[in-house]
Amino acid sequence: MDYAAQKLTREELEREVAFLHTISTEINSTFDLDEICAIVQRTMADLFGFRHSLILLLDEDGKALSVVASRGYKEACGGAKVPIGAGVIGLAAQKRRILRVGNLGRRRAYAAAIRSEVERSGRAGELGEAPRLPGLPDVEAQIAIPLLIRDALVGVFSVECADIPVFSERDESRAGVVGNLAASAIHNALLYRRLARANEGLQKELTAARAGSGRRVTIDDIVGESKAMKQAKGLLRKVAASPSSTVLLTGENGTGKDLAAKAIHCQSDRADAPFMNITCSALPEALLESELFGHEKGAFTDARAQKKGLLELADGGTVFLDEIGEMSLVLQAKLLRFLEEKAFRRVGGTKDVRVELRIIAATNRDLKAMVKEGAFREDLYYRLRVLPVELPPLRQRTGDLALLLRLFLDQYRAEFRKNVASVSPEALAHLGRYPWPGNVRELKNAVERAVLLAEGPVLGPEDFSALSPSGDGDGAVRLPAEGLSFEKVERELVAAALERTSFNKSRAARLLGMDRDWVRYRASKYGLDRPSRPGRPRE
Ligand SMILES: Nc1ncnc2c1ncn2[C@@H]1O[C@H](COP(=O)(O)OP(=O)(O)OP(=O)(O)O)[C@@H](O)[C@H]1O
Ligand SMILES: [Mg+2]
């Protein structure tokens, strides 16, 4: 801006500087295209009374510009197109020069005139004709500023006015300065948007790859020929075939709820879309909410950027909400709204986001009893139970023991490269009497330990001696005459609870009737963390 030539007073100069400061600070505070356009247009209106303005961006094919933001017009004209070279806006884009035209209302059909004027002097002077965009009033005066980044055209910023015949030169320089600022901010926002989209695409691929990795499981991978299991598998097949009904999986610890959820997803039409799971007990309420629904920038102190939640990332696929019984009543209400309306809001957001997916929920708690106690919403309970599937405990289907033993024996024999071929009939009888409080997971862990320690080709009852068929006995705790080490008992109880729950501290805590921190402290005190073996996540 040539301030000297404009002979500004000191006051005016100070105002201009303040204006530049305001707009450049605001415009650089965001990477959001819509926000940038709004800031540019609002500043122009508030500071200079330029109430009507348009921001257009160059189309990908470079042949036309499309309106991305309009301000001050009765109808929004977003998406309207202006071909390069057409009217004042199109010409400014073609010539890459600022065009200031006036007295448009009194003249008609000036396209040729503007063109020759532009060819001659590089500016349209008071001549011009804007192509009629839908919803625009009769424009009297107009300034069109090409948005350029190192000579490359990004778009056009146009201010228009119906009540004065012509904009001043000073208006032109102000609009020019704003145009320059807007050009780089818009350019950055477009780059940011492209990166964010690429990132989102990669995230989706990664999720899909993760879901697909570790082999796709199908319902046939759920082992069990007992009547109860056949019935459950029959239901799971029906569930997989119905594309979007909500499913509630119930069953004790280790009965295969995770496995069933994954099998439903992999055997449904959604198999190629993401499968995302989250354990509701693993996170505090606020974190769980933002993991599930995402959050807007600034929704809370750490929310530096907008983040998509699992529901958005899993669009088209399946979201598995494990331990749904642990979800707070507040989040239950939000989940219910999502199930009913297929819409939700990000934390701190005001717009509804719509996605299409299937929810599978699981719990080992008695939701009906929780409803009675007021700890679980009744309406959500019925909404989730559209398709309920109960996975039976292992003690009610001991007939499946032999099949499951074979499965895990083969798996660990290969993994540990040990020549363990079978289980003796005595061992099988011993296992049949055991009540399996940890169900299939406990059996799997028992076989793993037995194969690892086995010395011969056949596993006998002694290889499973850690499992006591009497279970918990009569429940009375007896103090031996010689006394005991309380720490040792505590350590063993915590170790057993962690073992039974695959080192899930929340669940272990529940088994012991203590809270998670209590278990966490003791697990670290006694060195009871999950044993890690390279190359294989432990169940
Ligand atoms: N019927 C089955 N056939 C084969 N493997 C099974 C079966 N049921 C469970 N498993 C295996 O047992 C382990 C525990 O199962 P899973 O994690 O699915 O149980 P869960 O019901 O989700 O347990 P929790 O309530 O503790 O979350 C997994 O390794 C799973 O693959
Ligand atoms: Mg589970």
Side-chain angles (χ1 to χ4, degrees), residues 257-258 322 441 507:
K257 298 184 292 295
D258 273 73
D322 203 0
R441 179 185 294 113
R507 276 191 236 146

Side-chain angles (χ1 to χ4, degrees), residues 221-223 229 252-259 322 364 397 404 407-408 440-441 444 507 539:
D221 291 311
I222 302 175
V223 170
M229 229 23 221
E252 295 176 9
N253 281 330
T255 43
K257 298 184 292 295
D258 273 73
L259 184 66
D322 203 0
N364 52 20
R397 50 180 173 114
L404 286 162
L407 174 78
F408 299 137
V440 184
R441 179 185 294 113
K444 191 174 174 181
R507 276 191 236 146
E539 242 315 316

Side-chain angles (χ1 to χ4, degrees), residues 165-314:
V166 45
F167 282 115
S168 69
E169 228 173 274
R170 182 117 155 256
D171 291 336
E172 178 181 323
S173 27
R174 280 166 168 160
V177 173
V178 175
N180 279 340
L181 288 171
S184 50
I186 288 174
H187 179 68
N188 288 340
L190 291 174
L191 281 180
Y192 182 80
R193 187 191 269 184
R194 210 178 306 149
L195 283 176
R197 282 198 183 140
N199 187 23
E200 201 180 299
L202 287 174
Q203 277 232 22
K204 274 198 171 166
E205 270 174 38
L206 188 66
T207 317
R210 277 202 192 128
S213 75
R215 196 168 67 85
R216 284 202 167 170
V217 286
T218 65
I219 291 160
D220 289 335
D221 291 311
I222 302 175
V223 170
E225 293 305 320
S226 58
K227 197 170 159 225
M229 229 23 221
K230 272 191 176 154
Q231 209 177 346
K233 289 201 302 189
L235 258 176
L236 289 174
R237 283 198 185 89
K238 283 191 191 148
V239 161
S242 93
S244 51
S245 317
T246 305
V247 184
L248 179 64
L249 299 172
T250 53
E252 295 176 9
N253 281 330
T255 43
K257 298 184 292 295
D258 273 73
L259 184 66
K262 191 109 185 268
I264 294 172
H265 172 78
C266 293
Q267 204 160 311
S268 74
D269 288 347
R270 302 177 183 273
D272 292 328
F275 172 84
M276 310 280 273
N277 63 1
I278 190 159
T279 304
C280 300
S281 64
L283 298 172
E285 178 182 318
L287 257 182
L288 178 62
E289 179 176 12
S290 106
E291 277 300 303
L292 260 184
F293 300 107
H295 60 71
E296 295 294 349
K297 186 178 155 188
F300 41 85
T301 329
D302 288 338
R304 290 206 194 94
Q306 185 204 68
K307 188 186 124 178
K308 294 203 162 136
L310 289 191
L311 292 181
E312 256 173 287
L313 293 172

